[in-house]
């Protein structure tokens, strides 16, 4: 799931939610929602997936 992979990648890179949101170009709420497995827009999912790929 995106949330678990994202959380692990973010923590592994020692990034805060705010830093991750800024790096991905999405609102902090999108990061929080993704990590909680809540609905996130397709645009935000794509940006988060791209970032996860870069920091993993």
């Amino acid at each position: 799931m995106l949330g678990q992979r994202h959380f692990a990648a973010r923590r592994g890179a020692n990034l805060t939610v705010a830093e991750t949101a800024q790096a991905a170009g999405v609102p902090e709420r999108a990061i929080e929602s993704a990590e909680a497995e809540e609905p996130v827009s397709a645009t935000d999912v794509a940006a988060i997936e791209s970032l996860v790929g870069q920091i993993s």
Side-chain angles (χ1 to χ4, degrees):
M1 303 308 280
L2 173 62
Q4 293 172 352
R5 286 182 304 136
H6 173 263
F7 179 78
R10 179 175 72 78
R11 293 296 299 234
N14 200 31
L15 296 173
T16 66
V17 169
E19 291 167 335
T20 305
Q22 183 177 14
V26 300
E28 288 182 37
R29 183 67 189 133
I31 301 298
E32 295 166 344
S33 294
E35 289 186 359
E37 300 291 346
E38 296 172 354
V40 180
S41 75
T43 303
D44 289 347
V45 168
I48 293 167
E49 288 277 10
S50 177
L51 180 63
V52 167
Q54 293 173 36
I55 64 175
S56 293

mmCIF file of all heavy atoms in Angstrom:
data_model
loop_
_atom_site.group_PDB
_atom_site.id
_atom_site.type_symbol
_atom_site.label_atom_id
_atom_site.label_comp_id
_atom_site.label_asym_id
_atom_site.label_seq_id
_atom_site.Cartn_x
_atom_site.Cartn_y
_atom_site.Cartn_z
ATOM 1 N N MET A 1 0.843 -1.179 0.000
ATOM 2 C CA MET A 1 0.000 0.000 0.000
ATOM 3 C C MET A 1 0.886 1.240 0.000
ATOM 4 O O MET A 1 1.956 1.257 0.583
ATOM 5 C CB MET A 1 -0.891 0.005 1.234
ATOM 6 C CG MET A 1 -1.785 -1.227 1.412
ATOM 7 S SD MET A 1 -2.790 -1.662 -0.003
ATOM 8 C CE MET A 1 -4.138 -0.554 0.114
ATOM 9 N N LEU A 2 0.387 2.259 -0.632
ATOM 10 C CA LEU A 2 1.135 3.515 -0.730
ATOM 11 C C LEU A 2 1.480 4.059 0.642
ATOM 12 O O LEU A 2 2.613 4.467 0.890
ATOM 13 C CB LEU A 2 0.326 4.557 -1.512
ATOM 14 C CG LEU A 2 0.907 5.972 -1.542
ATOM 15 C CD1 LEU A 2 2.267 5.985 -2.222
ATOM 16 C CD2 LEU A 2 -0.038 6.935 -2.225
ATOM 17 N N GLY A 3 0.550 4.048 1.551
ATOM 18 C CA GLY A 3 0.784 4.627 2.874
ATOM 19 C C GLY A 3 1.946 3.989 3.611
ATOM 20 O O GLY A 3 2.801 4.688 4.143
ATOM 21 N N GLN A 4 1.989 2.683 3.636
ATOM 22 C CA GLN A 4 3.061 1.985 4.346
ATOM 23 C C GLN A 4 4.405 2.195 3.677
ATOM 24 O O GLN A 4 5.409 2.440 4.337
ATOM 25 C CB GLN A 4 2.744 0.494 4.429
ATOM 26 C CG GLN A 4 1.547 0.204 5.288
ATOM 27 C CD GLN A 4 1.116 -1.247 5.201
ATOM 28 O OE1 GLN A 4 1.611 -2.018 4.395
ATOM 29 N NE2 GLN A 4 0.153 -1.609 6.028
ATOM 30 N N ARG A 5 4.438 2.098 2.343
ATOM 31 C CA ARG A 5 5.691 2.306 1.615
ATOM 32 C C ARG A 5 6.174 3.736 1.773
ATOM 33 O O ARG A 5 7.360 3.977 1.979
ATOM 34 C CB ARG A 5 5.513 1.999 0.128
ATOM 35 C CG ARG A 5 5.423 0.533 -0.168
ATOM 36 C CD ARG A 5 5.294 0.262 -1.642
ATOM 37 N NE ARG A 5 4.126 0.996 -2.141
ATOM 38 C CZ ARG A 5 4.096 1.689 -3.272
ATOM 39 N NH1 ARG A 5 5.133 1.752 -4.052
ATOM 40 N NH2 ARG A 5 3.011 2.313 -3.647
ATOM 41 N N HIS A 6 5.226 4.667 1.681
ATOM 42 C CA HIS A 6 5.599 6.072 1.804
ATOM 43 C C HIS A 6 6.124 6.378 3.200
ATOM 44 O O HIS A 6 7.148 7.033 3.369
ATOM 45 C CB HIS A 6 4.421 6.988 1.491
ATOM 46 C CG HIS A 6 4.736 8.414 1.765
ATOM 47 N ND1 HIS A 6 4.377 9.036 2.928
ATOM 48 C CD2 HIS A 6 5.458 9.301 1.065
ATOM 49 C CE1 HIS A 6 4.851 10.268 2.909
ATOM 50 N NE2 HIS A 6 5.501 10.458 1.796
ATOM 51 N N PHE A 7 5.426 5.909 4.209
ATOM 52 C CA PHE A 7 5.858 6.161 5.589
ATOM 53 C C PHE A 7 7.265 5.616 5.813
ATOM 54 O O PHE A 7 8.126 6.298 6.365
ATOM 55 C CB PHE A 7 4.874 5.537 6.578
ATOM 56 C CG PHE A 7 5.275 5.742 8.010
ATOM 57 C CD1 PHE A 7 5.063 6.954 8.634
ATOM 58 C CD2 PHE A 7 5.881 4.726 8.737
ATOM 59 C CE1 PHE A 7 5.448 7.145 9.962
ATOM 60 C CE2 PHE A 7 6.266 4.906 10.051
ATOM 61 C CZ PHE A 7 6.042 6.130 10.663
ATOM 62 N N ALA A 8 7.507 4.390 5.366
ATOM 63 C CA ALA A 8 8.827 3.777 5.552
ATOM 64 C C ALA A 8 9.909 4.565 4.813
ATOM 65 O O ALA A 8 11.000 4.797 5.353
ATOM 66 C CB ALA A 8 8.804 2.330 5.081
ATOM 67 N N ALA A 9 9.615 4.988 3.592
ATOM 68 C CA ALA A 9 10.597 5.755 2.820
ATOM 69 C C ALA A 9 10.859 7.107 3.469
ATOM 70 O O ALA A 9 12.006 7.557 3.570
ATOM 71 C CB ALA A 9 10.108 5.936 1.391
ATOM 72 N N ARG A 10 9.795 7.764 3.920
ATOM 73 C CA ARG A 10 9.935 9.079 4.560
ATOM 74 C C ARG A 10 10.751 8.971 5.831
ATOM 75 O O ARG A 10 11.684 9.744 6.058
ATOM 76 C CB ARG A 10 8.549 9.668 4.860
ATOM 77 C CG ARG A 10 8.621 11.022 5.554
ATOM 78 C CD ARG A 10 7.246 11.626 5.719
ATOM 79 N NE ARG A 10 6.425 10.979 6.712
ATOM 80 C CZ ARG A 10 6.525 11.148 8.023
ATOM 81 N NH1 ARG A 10 7.450 11.933 8.526
ATOM 82 N NH2 ARG A 10 5.719 10.528 8.846
ATOM 83 N N ARG A 11 10.438 7.996 6.643
ATOM 84 C CA ARG A 11 11.173 7.819 7.900
ATOM 85 C C ARG A 11 12.623 7.424 7.632
ATOM 86 O O ARG A 11 13.535 7.883 8.316
ATOM 87 C CB ARG A 11 10.482 6.777 8.780
ATOM 88 C CG ARG A 11 9.122 7.190 9.304
ATOM 89 C CD ARG A 11 9.229 8.393 10.224
ATOM 90 N NE ARG A 11 10.048 8.078 11.370
ATOM 91 C CZ ARG A 11 9.719 8.212 12.615
ATOM 92 N NH1 ARG A 11 8.561 8.694 12.924
ATOM 93 N NH2 ARG A 11 10.543 7.876 13.575
ATOM 94 N N GLY A 12 12.829 6.584 6.635
ATOM 95 C CA GLY A 12 14.178 6.164 6.280
ATOM 96 C C GLY A 12 15.036 7.331 5.813
ATOM 97 O O GLY A 12 16.244 7.350 6.020
ATOM 98 N N ALA A 13 14.395 8.316 5.175
ATOM 99 C CA ALA A 13 15.101 9.505 4.706
ATOM 100 C C ALA A 13 15.136 10.597 5.770
ATOM 101 O O ALA A 13 15.671 11.678 5.538
ATOM 102 C CB ALA A 13 14.438 10.038 3.440
ATOM 103 N N ASN A 14 14.548 10.311 6.928
ATOM 104 C CA ASN A 14 14.519 11.247 8.052
ATOM 105 C C ASN A 14 13.859 12.570 7.672
ATOM 106 O O ASN A 14 14.368 13.646 7.999
ATOM 107 C CB ASN A 14 15.928 11.471 8.613
ATOM 108 C CG ASN A 14 15.900 12.018 10.023
ATOM 109 O OD1 ASN A 14 14.981 11.732 10.786
ATOM 110 N ND2 ASN A 14 16.882 12.819 10.370
ATOM 111 N N LEU A 15 12.722 12.490 6.966
ATOM 112 C CA LEU A 15 11.985 13.671 6.539
ATOM 113 C C LEU A 15 10.717 13.846 7.370
ATOM 114 O O LEU A 15 10.054 12.867 7.707
ATOM 115 C CB LEU A 15 11.582 13.557 5.071
ATOM 116 C CG LEU A 15 12.708 13.517 4.046
ATOM 117 C CD1 LEU A 15 12.142 13.220 2.660
ATOM 118 C CD2 LEU A 15 13.479 14.817 4.041
ATOM 119 N N THR A 16 10.377 15.085 7.650
ATOM 120 C CA THR A 16 9.116 15.385 8.313
ATOM 121 C C THR A 16 7.998 15.379 7.274
ATOM 122 O O THR A 16 8.260 15.375 6.064
ATOM 123 C CB THR A 16 9.148 16.768 8.986
ATOM 124 O OG1 THR A 16 9.261 17.769 7.960
ATOM 125 C CG2 THR A 16 10.299 16.896 9.974
ATOM 126 N N VAL A 17 6.764 15.418 7.740
ATOM 127 C CA VAL A 17 5.628 15.509 6.820
ATOM 128 C C VAL A 17 5.759 16.784 5.988
ATOM 129 O O VAL A 17 5.567 16.771 4.769
ATOM 130 C CB VAL A 17 4.289 15.473 7.593
ATOM 131 C CG1 VAL A 17 3.131 15.837 6.690
ATOM 132 C CG2 VAL A 17 4.067 14.099 8.212
ATOM 133 N N ALA A 18 6.097 17.901 6.632
ATOM 134 C CA ALA A 18 6.223 19.173 5.923
ATOM 135 C C ALA A 18 7.327 19.113 4.864
ATOM 136 O O ALA A 18 7.132 19.583 3.732
ATOM 137 C CB ALA A 18 6.494 20.301 6.909
ATOM 138 N N GLU A 19 8.454 18.541 5.203
ATOM 139 C CA GLU A 19 9.559 18.431 4.244
ATOM 140 C C GLU A 19 9.176 17.529 3.071
ATOM 141 O O GLU A 19 9.497 17.824 1.918
ATOM 142 C CB GLU A 19 10.804 17.868 4.930
ATOM 143 C CG GLU A 19 11.429 18.815 5.929
ATOM 144 C CD GLU A 19 12.463 18.157 6.819
ATOM 145 O OE1 GLU A 19 12.409 16.928 7.036
ATOM 146 O OE2 GLU A 19 13.335 18.895 7.305
ATOM 147 N N THR A 20 8.479 16.467 3.377
ATOM 148 C CA THR A 20 8.056 15.531 2.339
ATOM 149 C C THR A 20 7.046 16.185 1.408
ATOM 150 O O THR A 20 7.133 16.052 0.187
ATOM 151 C CB THR A 20 7.458 14.267 2.969
ATOM 152 O OG1 THR A 20 8.418 13.715 3.870
ATOM 153 C CG2 THR A 20 7.091 13.243 1.929
ATOM 154 N N ALA A 21 6.096 16.893 1.990
ATOM 155 C CA ALA A 21 5.090 17.583 1.176
ATOM 156 C C ALA A 21 5.753 18.597 0.251
ATOM 157 O O ALA A 21 5.423 18.677 -0.940
ATOM 158 C CB ALA A 21 4.068 18.263 2.076
ATOM 159 N N GLN A 22 6.691 19.345 0.787
ATOM 160 C CA GLN A 22 7.377 20.344 -0.026
ATOM 161 C C GLN A 22 8.148 19.664 -1.156
ATOM 162 O O GLN A 22 8.110 20.105 -2.306
ATOM 163 C CB GLN A 22 8.316 21.179 0.831
ATOM 164 C CG GLN A 22 9.003 22.284 0.048
ATOM 165 C CD GLN A 22 9.871 23.164 0.918
ATOM 166 O OE1 GLN A 22 10.182 22.819 2.051
ATOM 167 N NE2 GLN A 22 10.263 24.300 0.390
ATOM 168 N N ALA A 23 8.851 18.584 -0.849
ATOM 169 C CA ALA A 23 9.636 17.875 -1.858
ATOM 170 C C ALA A 23 8.749 17.279 -2.951
ATOM 171 O O ALA A 23 9.133 17.249 -4.118
ATOM 172 C CB ALA A 23 10.470 16.778 -1.196
ATOM 173 N N ALA A 24 7.573 16.808 -2.571
ATOM 174 C CA ALA A 24 6.664 16.199 -3.534
ATOM 175 C C ALA A 24 5.797 17.231 -4.251
ATOM 176 O O ALA A 24 5.174 16.929 -5.265
ATOM 177 C CB ALA A 24 5.762 15.177 -2.835
ATOM 178 N N GLY A 25 5.719 18.443 -3.687
ATOM 179 C CA GLY A 25 4.880 19.478 -4.281
ATOM 180 C C GLY A 25 3.404 19.266 -4.029
ATOM 181 O O GLY A 25 2.564 19.592 -4.866
ATOM 182 N N VAL A 26 3.101 18.708 -2.863
ATOM 183 C CA VAL A 26 1.703 18.453 -2.487
ATOM 184 C C VAL A 26 1.437 19.061 -1.117
ATOM 185 O O VAL A 26 2.362 19.336 -0.364
ATOM 186 C CB VAL A 26 1.390 16.938 -2.458
ATOM 187 C CG1 VAL A 26 1.620 16.309 -3.824
ATOM 188 C CG2 VAL A 26 2.191 16.218 -1.398
ATOM 189 N N PRO A 27 0.170 19.253 -0.765
ATOM 190 C CA PRO A 27 -0.148 19.758 0.576
ATOM 191 C C PRO A 27 0.219 18.735 1.657
ATOM 192 O O PRO A 27 0.211 17.520 1.400
ATOM 193 C CB PRO A 27 -1.670 19.954 0.552
ATOM 194 C CG PRO A 27 -2.081 19.872 -0.873
ATOM 195 C CD PRO A 27 -1.024 19.084 -1.586
ATOM 196 N N GLU A 28 0.535 19.206 2.844
ATOM 197 C CA GLU A 28 0.840 18.300 3.961
ATOM 198 C C GLU A 28 -0.298 17.320 4.188
ATOM 199 O O GLU A 28 -0.064 16.160 4.513
ATOM 200 C CB GLU A 28 1.115 19.094 5.237
ATOM 201 C CG GLU A 28 2.431 19.822 5.222
ATOM 202 C CD GLU A 28 2.718 20.569 6.507
ATOM 203 O OE1 GLU A 28 2.362 20.060 7.588
ATOM 204 O OE2 GLU A 28 3.286 21.668 6.415
ATOM 205 N N ARG A 29 -1.520 17.780 4.015
ATOM 206 C CA ARG A 29 -2.687 16.916 4.241
ATOM 207 C C ARG A 29 -2.654 15.709 3.306
ATOM 208 O O ARG A 29 -3.107 14.619 3.673
ATOM 209 C CB ARG A 29 -3.987 17.715 4.057
ATOM 210 C CG ARG A 29 -5.232 16.916 4.343
ATOM 211 C CD ARG A 29 -5.344 16.549 5.820
ATOM 212 N NE ARG A 29 -6.429 15.610 6.002
ATOM 213 C CZ ARG A 29 -6.354 14.496 6.703
ATOM 214 N NH1 ARG A 29 -5.273 14.205 7.368
ATOM 215 N NH2 ARG A 29 -7.373 13.692 6.795
ATOM 216 N N ALA A 30 -2.129 15.882 2.096
ATOM 217 C CA ALA A 30 -2.046 14.759 1.165
ATOM 218 C C ALA A 30 -1.093 13.690 1.697
ATOM 219 O O ALA A 30 -1.368 12.491 1.579
ATOM 220 C CB ALA A 30 -1.588 15.227 -0.214
ATOM 221 N N ILE A 31 0.009 14.116 2.300
ATOM 222 C CA ILE A 31 0.964 13.171 2.885
ATOM 223 C C ILE A 31 0.310 12.445 4.046
ATOM 224 O O ILE A 31 0.377 11.218 4.156
ATOM 225 C CB ILE A 31 2.246 13.886 3.354
ATOM 226 C CG1 ILE A 31 2.929 14.617 2.189
ATOM 227 C CG2 ILE A 31 3.188 12.924 4.059
ATOM 228 C CD1 ILE A 31 3.387 13.735 1.060
ATOM 229 N N GLU A 32 -0.339 13.213 4.918
ATOM 230 C CA GLU A 32 -1.005 12.611 6.079
ATOM 231 C C GLU A 32 -2.084 11.631 5.643
ATOM 232 O O GLU A 32 -2.202 10.540 6.207
ATOM 233 C CB GLU A 32 -1.602 13.713 6.955
ATOM 234 C CG GLU A 32 -0.557 14.604 7.580
ATOM 235 C CD GLU A 32 -1.115 15.890 8.162
ATOM 236 O OE1 GLU A 32 -2.261 16.265 7.849
ATOM 237 O OE2 GLU A 32 -0.373 16.548 8.914
ATOM 238 N N SER A 33 -2.858 12.010 4.642
ATOM 239 C CA SER A 33 -3.927 11.131 4.149
ATOM 240 C C SER A 33 -3.361 9.863 3.526
ATOM 241 O O SER A 33 -3.871 8.770 3.769
ATOM 242 C CB SER A 33 -4.793 11.869 3.124
ATOM 243 O OG SER A 33 -5.494 12.925 3.733
ATOM 244 N N ALA A 34 -2.312 10.011 2.733
ATOM 245 C CA ALA A 34 -1.716 8.835 2.093
ATOM 246 C C ALA A 34 -1.193 7.864 3.136
ATOM 247 O O ALA A 34 -1.398 6.650 3.019
ATOM 248 C CB ALA A 34 -0.592 9.271 1.154
ATOM 249 N N GLU A 35 -0.530 8.386 4.156
ATOM 250 C CA GLU A 35 0.018 7.512 5.197
ATOM 251 C C GLU A 35 -1.074 6.829 6.004
ATOM 252 O O GLU A 35 -0.873 5.743 6.530
ATOM 253 C CB GLU A 35 0.957 8.298 6.109
ATOM 254 C CG GLU A 35 2.255 8.663 5.414
ATOM 255 C CD GLU A 35 3.272 9.322 6.319
ATOM 256 O OE1 GLU A 35 2.988 9.534 7.520
ATOM 257 O OE2 GLU A 35 4.362 9.640 5.819
ATOM 258 N N ALA A 36 -2.229 7.473 6.092
ATOM 259 C CA ALA A 36 -3.359 6.893 6.830
ATOM 260 C C ALA A 36 -4.240 6.029 5.921
ATOM 261 O O ALA A 36 -5.296 5.557 6.358
ATOM 262 C CB ALA A 36 -4.189 8.010 7.459
ATOM 263 N N GLU A 37 -3.790 5.822 4.665
ATOM 264 C CA GLU A 37 -4.553 5.035 3.685
ATOM 265 C C GLU A 37 -5.921 5.651 3.417
ATOM 266 O O GLU A 37 -6.886 4.940 3.118
ATOM 267 C CB GLU A 37 -4.691 3.573 4.130
ATOM 268 C CG GLU A 37 -3.390 2.847 4.321
ATOM 269 C CD GLU A 37 -2.607 2.582 3.032
ATOM 270 O OE1 GLU A 37 -3.164 2.711 1.932
ATOM 271 O OE2 GLU A 37 -1.416 2.264 3.148
ATOM 272 N N GLU A 38 -6.017 6.978 3.500
ATOM 273 C CA GLU A 38 -7.248 7.698 3.179
ATOM 274 C C GLU A 38 -7.182 8.129 1.715
ATOM 275 O O GLU A 38 -6.094 8.153 1.123
ATOM 276 C CB GLU A 38 -7.388 8.928 4.083
ATOM 277 C CG GLU A 38 -7.547 8.572 5.554
ATOM 278 C CD GLU A 38 -7.497 9.776 6.475
ATOM 279 O OE1 GLU A 38 -7.232 10.899 6.004
ATOM 280 O OE2 GLU A 38 -7.694 9.588 7.677
ATOM 281 N N PRO A 39 -8.324 8.489 1.126
ATOM 282 C CA PRO A 39 -8.331 8.892 -0.282
ATOM 283 C C PRO A 39 -7.436 10.111 -0.549
ATOM 284 O O PRO A 39 -7.397 11.057 0.241
ATOM 285 C CB PRO A 39 -9.794 9.246 -0.554
ATOM 286 C CG PRO A 39 -10.565 8.509 0.496
ATOM 287 C CD PRO A 39 -9.663 8.472 1.704
ATOM 288 N N VAL A 40 -6.698 10.037 -1.655
ATOM 289 C CA VAL A 40 -5.819 11.114 -2.094
ATOM 290 C C VAL A 40 -6.032 11.261 -3.598
ATOM 291 O O VAL A 40 -6.238 10.254 -4.294
ATOM 292 C CB VAL A 40 -4.336 10.769 -1.794
ATOM 293 C CG1 VAL A 40 -3.409 11.867 -2.245
ATOM 294 C CG2 VAL A 40 -4.134 10.490 -0.315
ATOM 295 N N SER A 41 -5.986 12.486 -4.104
ATOM 296 C CA SER A 41 -6.207 12.705 -5.533
ATOM 297 C C SER A 41 -5.159 11.967 -6.358
ATOM 298 O O SER A 41 -4.034 11.731 -5.907
ATOM 299 C CB SER A 41 -6.165 14.197 -5.863
ATOM 300 O OG SER A 41 -4.825 14.669 -5.845
ATOM 301 N N ALA A 42 -5.531 11.626 -7.575
ATOM 302 C CA ALA A 42 -4.617 10.917 -8.471
ATOM 303 C C ALA A 42 -3.353 11.736 -8.726
ATOM 304 O O ALA A 42 -2.253 11.175 -8.815
ATOM 305 C CB ALA A 42 -5.319 10.596 -9.785
ATOM 306 N N THR A 43 -3.493 13.042 -8.818
ATOM 307 C CA THR A 43 -2.337 13.915 -9.037
ATOM 308 C C THR A 43 -1.383 13.841 -7.862
ATOM 309 O O THR A 43 -0.164 13.739 -8.045
ATOM 310 C CB THR A 43 -2.804 15.373 -9.254
ATOM 311 O OG1 THR A 43 -3.701 15.407 -10.357
ATOM 312 C CG2 THR A 43 -1.627 16.298 -9.514
ATOM 313 N N ASP A 44 -1.930 13.896 -6.646
ATOM 314 C CA ASP A 44 -1.091 13.821 -5.449
ATOM 315 C C ASP A 44 -0.452 12.438 -5.313
ATOM 316 O O ASP A 44 0.713 12.325 -4.929
ATOM 317 C CB ASP A 44 -1.883 14.178 -4.193
ATOM 318 C CG ASP A 44 -2.231 15.660 -4.112
ATOM 319 O OD1 ASP A 44 -1.655 16.455 -4.894
ATOM 320 O OD2 ASP A 44 -3.070 16.022 -3.275
ATOM 321 N N VAL A 45 -1.200 11.387 -5.640
ATOM 322 C CA VAL A 45 -0.641 10.027 -5.578
ATOM 323 C C VAL A 45 0.554 9.924 -6.519
ATOM 324 O O VAL A 45 1.602 9.387 -6.147
ATOM 325 C CB VAL A 45 -1.704 8.956 -5.929
ATOM 326 C CG1 VAL A 45 -1.053 7.595 -6.158
ATOM 327 C CG2 VAL A 45 -2.740 8.856 -4.822
ATOM 328 N N ALA A 46 0.422 10.451 -7.714
ATOM 329 C CA ALA A 46 1.518 10.388 -8.682
ATOM 330 C C ALA A 46 2.751 11.119 -8.160
ATOM 331 O O ALA A 46 3.879 10.619 -8.281
ATOM 332 C CB ALA A 46 1.078 10.980 -10.018
ATOM 333 N N ALA A 47 2.546 12.285 -7.557
ATOM 334 C CA ALA A 47 3.664 13.058 -7.019
ATOM 335 C C ALA A 47 4.318 12.330 -5.846
ATOM 336 O O ALA A 47 5.548 12.284 -5.742
ATOM 337 C CB ALA A 47 3.188 14.445 -6.588
ATOM 338 N N ILE A 48 3.508 11.743 -4.984
ATOM 339 C CA ILE A 48 4.038 11.016 -3.825
ATOM 340 C C ILE A 48 4.786 9.767 -4.285
ATOM 341 O O ILE A 48 5.879 9.479 -3.796
ATOM 342 C CB ILE A 48 2.903 10.666 -2.845
ATOM 343 C CG1 ILE A 48 2.332 11.947 -2.226
ATOM 344 C CG2 ILE A 48 3.399 9.723 -1.751
ATOM 345 C CD1 ILE A 48 1.014 11.764 -1.489
ATOM 346 N N GLU A 49 4.208 9.035 -5.245
ATOM 347 C CA GLU A 49 4.873 7.838 -5.774
ATOM 348 C C GLU A 49 6.228 8.199 -6.386
ATOM 349 O O GLU A 49 7.206 7.476 -6.202
ATOM 350 C CB GLU A 49 4.001 7.158 -6.833
ATOM 351 C CG GLU A 49 2.795 6.455 -6.288
ATOM 352 C CD GLU A 49 3.105 5.060 -5.781
ATOM 353 O OE1 GLU A 49 4.280 4.688 -5.666
ATOM 354 O OE2 GLU A 49 2.149 4.331 -5.482
ATOM 355 N N SER A 50 6.280 9.314 -7.093
ATOM 356 C CA SER A 50 7.523 9.751 -7.697
ATOM 357 C C SER A 50 8.583 10.025 -6.621
ATOM 358 O O SER A 50 9.731 9.606 -6.739
ATOM 359 C CB SER A 50 7.295 11.003 -8.534
ATOM 360 O OG SER A 50 8.506 11.482 -9.066
ATOM 361 N N LEU A 51 8.162 10.704 -5.567
ATOM 362 C CA LEU A 51 9.090 11.001 -4.476
ATOM 363 C C LEU A 51 9.552 9.718 -3.775
ATOM 364 O O LEU A 51 10.727 9.566 -3.488
ATOM 365 C CB LEU A 51 8.464 11.961 -3.467
ATOM 366 C CG LEU A 51 9.356 12.325 -2.290
ATOM 367 C CD1 LEU A 51 10.608 13.058 -2.765
ATOM 368 C CD2 LEU A 51 8.588 13.142 -1.271
ATOM 369 N N VAL A 52 8.627 8.818 -3.526
ATOM 370 C CA VAL A 52 8.981 7.550 -2.886
ATOM 371 C C VAL A 52 10.049 6.832 -3.721
ATOM 372 O O VAL A 52 11.017 6.300 -3.185
ATOM 373 C CB VAL A 52 7.735 6.658 -2.673
ATOM 374 C CG1 VAL A 52 8.139 5.239 -2.298
ATOM 375 C CG2 VAL A 52 6.837 7.250 -1.594
ATOM 376 N N GLY A 53 9.884 6.850 -5.028
ATOM 377 C CA GLY A 53 10.860 6.233 -5.907
ATOM 378 C C GLY A 53 12.233 6.882 -5.801
ATOM 379 O O GLY A 53 13.267 6.207 -5.895
ATOM 380 N N GLN A 54 12.268 8.170 -5.566
ATOM 381 C CA GLN A 54 13.530 8.891 -5.465
ATOM 382 C C GLN A 54 14.230 8.681 -4.135
ATOM 383 O O GLN A 54 15.450 8.672 -4.076
ATOM 384 C CB GLN A 54 13.286 10.387 -5.683
ATOM 385 C CG GLN A 54 12.851 10.748 -7.083
ATOM 386 C CD GLN A 54 12.472 12.204 -7.192
ATOM 387 O OE1 GLN A 54 13.088 13.057 -6.562
ATOM 388 N NE2 GLN A 54 11.469 12.488 -8.001
ATOM 389 N N ILE A 55 13.458 8.532 -3.054
ATOM 390 C CA ILE A 55 14.084 8.440 -1.727
ATOM 391 C C ILE A 55 14.222 7.011 -1.213
ATOM 392 O O ILE A 55 14.817 6.780 -0.176
ATOM 393 C CB ILE A 55 13.359 9.318 -0.674
ATOM 394 C CG1 ILE A 55 11.934 8.863 -0.430
ATOM 395 C CG2 ILE A 55 13.424 10.763 -1.070
ATOM 396 C CD1 ILE A 55 11.205 9.618 0.670
ATOM 397 N N SER A 56 13.659 6.065 -1.939
ATOM 398 C CA SER A 56 13.733 4.658 -1.505
ATOM 399 C C SER A 56 15.070 4.044 -1.901
ATOM 400 O O SER A 56 15.691 4.384 -2.838
ATOM 401 C CB SER A 56 12.614 3.836 -2.133
ATOM 402 O OG SER A 56 11.377 4.255 -1.630
#
